């Protein structure tokens, strides 16, 4: 079944961030916050996991947001409205736990991780929660969906490393202030592994601040997304092995051994570079780097 691209937008002006609407009625019908899809662009395409960043059940549409980081995401950025993707598997992964909490929930999105925060904030708000969102990126051009996130948040805090918008510094700066000033029921952090590690450390109760339950969304390498290949496995601090695709992708951040994950992140870097360089050589029309 072909999956048509209905909308494509560049987000910001970095040339690396894109939003796409895909016609996928069956997936849209069953999608919830926390779910992801695995797409193949064409017969030779590798499988790329991407979060369902929004869904419209009535029109049978899901939205993805992706950052160009290598060959497949560059190839995806070269697809246009009306083009069809070869296949999409999903929805995969678990829906996030939805509950009405007493105190506010802090949702933190770093870089492209802002997109998966939106459905989580939306569904938790619909359940009656108060949401404080923190969006962070290196610079303001990499922040997107300000209005969408504001529409599901009581408070929206922006952070940039270079101070070009909002608070200058990392997302942990306002988070530290929030959890030292008021009771927070839950923290959700989605973004680069190092950001999720630092957030989980801050909320662990070992930093002189109250311990706050924290979920992180693990973007380990995934191939099948259904618990069979072992690509996404990770050890928890007690040495037990877990599978991010079927147990997550949202996992209790306090059990994750981030140091091992950070080491494993770059294990295919050389092959990824070769494949990217080869594609760039073949491709005459690339317009993003
Ligand atoms: C559950 C989940 C949800 C994700 N959601 C999003 C999203 O919404 N938007 C987004 O931009 N990115 C998302 N990612 C990451 C995305 O899958 C990778 O950026 C993409 O596969 C890179 O492919 P590439 O060929 O362009 O880059 P490559 O050159 O192949 O790899 C670049 C880097 O991307 C990561 N990567 C590569 N292949 C995979 C893979 N099969 N699974 C996971 N990571 C991989 C690695 O860290 C690698 O170093 C998600 C990953 C997971 C596991
Ligand atoms: S992606 Fe294969 S086991 Fe999780």
């Amino acid at each position: 079944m072909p999956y048509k691209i209905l909308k494509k937008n560049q987000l910001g002006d970095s040339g690396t961030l894109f939003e796409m609407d895909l016609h996928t009625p069956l997936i849209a019908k069953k999608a919830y916050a926390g779910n992801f899809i695995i797409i193949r662009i064409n017969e030779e395409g590798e499988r790329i996991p991407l979060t369902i960043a929004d869904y419209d059940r009535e029109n049978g549409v899901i939205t993805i947001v992706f950052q160009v980081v290598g060959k497949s995401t560059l190839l995806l950025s070269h697809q246009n409205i009306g083009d069809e993707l070869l296949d999409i598997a999903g929805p995969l992964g678990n829906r996030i736990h939805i509950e009405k909490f007493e105190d506010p929930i802090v949702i933190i999105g770093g870089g492209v991780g802002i997109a998966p925060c939106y459905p989580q904030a939306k569904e938790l708000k619909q359940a009656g929660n108060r949401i404080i969102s923190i969006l962070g990126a290196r610079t303001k051009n990499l922040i997107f969906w300000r209005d969408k996130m504001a529409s599901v948040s009581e408070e929206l805090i922006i952070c940039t490393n270079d101070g070009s918008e909002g608070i200058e510094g990392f997302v942990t700066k306002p988070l530290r202030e929030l959890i030292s000033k008021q009771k927070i029921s839950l923290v959700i952090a989605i973004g680069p592994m190092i950001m999720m590690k630092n957030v989980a450390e801050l909320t662990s109760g070992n930093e002189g601040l109250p311990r706050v339950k924290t979920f992180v969304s693990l973007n380990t390498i995934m191939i099948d997304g259904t618990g069979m290949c072992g690509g996404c496995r990770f050890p928890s601090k007690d040495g037990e092995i877990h599978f991010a695709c079927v147990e997550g992708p949202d996992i209790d951040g306090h059990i994750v051994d981030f140091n091992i994950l950070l080491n494993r992140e770059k294990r295919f870097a050389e092959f990824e570079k070769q494949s990217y360089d080869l594609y760039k050589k073949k491709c005459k029309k690339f317009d993003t780097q």
Side-chain angles (χ1 to χ4, degrees), residues 129-142:
N129 289 290
R130 283 168 293 152
I131 310 290
I132 303 174
S133 296
I134 305 177
L135 312 185
R138 283 197 312 278
T139 184
K140 71 174 181 188
N141 299 346
L142 296 172

Side-chain angles (χ1 to χ4, degrees), residues 97-112:
H97 174 71
I98 302 286
E99 183 185 330
K100 161 79 177 79
F101 292 95
E102 188 66 27
D103 300 307
I105 298 172
V106 177
I107 301 192
I108 304 169
V112 72

